[in-house]
Amino acid sequence: MPRSRLRALDPVLRRNLAIDMGTSAGVGLSMTLVGVLIPVVTRRAGLDALGLAVMATAPFLANVLALFAGRVGVRSPASLVAVRVLGGAALVLMAVAPGNGAIILLVMGFWLTVALAAPYQVRLWGQIYPPAAQGRLVGAVGTARAATSAIGALVGGALADRIGGLEVVALGGLAGIVIANLAWGFVVPRGDTGAAYDLDRKSTRLNS
């Protein structure tokens, strides 16, 4: 997002955007490390093709389970932090997992935390961003996640050759735990979506 448009946002909106971009980047890093390094590590440790296939289905199975997120999933920034900390912990535990079977279970647990957080994240965007600017701001968040994922894949691969794949994933998990706590700083307006913002004034400046 151009700096001139970023300056047009009010302080609360800038704060939420910065936190959102940071936490989204953390999730993107974790997803990349799990998706890129874990299959390689487990394959080298003797995991067969069926085991890799089971692990590859984990994100999709987690998305199906996320259908129940409205009842048992994330409902507040506090629970968002808790779920993402659990996801980071799953990555850390992979470094000491006793075998491929345990790693597969941890991978499935990680993707479940991602899926459970997703519905609330969409609702949160509707609460913290005014409708007139929502598309642009969510796009900026997505760009931050994509950029972090690309960099994480390259840097993670290089580090894995030096210190080991599981160790890199664990470091990513620790970083994810720290970054997840940024979500405590979200300022969520009460009432109707966008009610905290002067949409007529700010939408004009954002779209100019």
Side-chain angles (χ1 to χ4, degrees):
M1 176 180 293
R3 290 185 178 180
S4 60
R5 285 176 175 164
L6 184 59
R7 286 195 295 268
L9 303 177
D10 67 30
V12 171
L13 206 52
R14 285 200 300 269
R15 174 192 176 98
N16 284 337
L17 178 61
I19 293 172
D20 199 8
M21 293 179 72
T23 55
S24 183
V27 173
L29 175 63
S30 298
M31 292 169 62
T32 296
L33 294 179
V34 170
V36 171
L37 296 181
I38 294 301
V40 175
V41 170
T42 53
R43 183 61 174 172
R44 288 178 177 174
L47 186 65
D48 57 19
L50 179 59
L52 290 173
V54 170
M55 192 160 53
T57 64
F60 307 103
L61 291 175
N63 284 332
V64 172
L65 293 175
L67 293 173
F68 303 99
R71 295 186 178 182
V72 299
V74 177
R75 296 187 178 184
S76 67
S79 55
L80 180 65
V81 171
V83 167
R84 286 183 171 168
V85 165
L86 287 175
L91 270 62
V92 173
L93 290 174
M94 290 179 195
V96 295
N100 285 335
I103 291 177
I104 291 175
L105 290 176
L106 289 169
V107 167
M108 295 182 71
F110 165 75
W111 286 113
L112 183 59
T113 65
V114 173
L116 289 176
Y120 175 75
Q121 182 67 66
V122 175
R123 292 196 298 272
L124 183 64
W125 285 332
Q127 291 177 295
I128 65 176
Y129 298 143
Q134 193 171 118
R136 182 175 292 120
L137 297 177
V138 172
V141 172
T143 299
R145 175 179 291 193
T148 305
S149 297
I151 296 171
L154 293 173
V155 175
L159 286 176
D161 288 336
R162 294 179 177 271
I163 65 175
L166 290 178
E167 288 75 10
V168 172
V169 172
L171 289 175
L174 288 173
I177 290 172
V178 174
I179 294 171
N181 281 277
L182 293 175
W184 287 109
F186 275 123
V187 178
V188 182
R190 295 182 179 181
D192 296 335
T193 299
Y197 306 107
D198 181 355
L199 296 182
D200 290 337
R201 176 170 58 86
K202 288 190 171 60
S203 63
T204 299
R205 295 174 68 184
L206 284 167
N207 291 312
S208 60

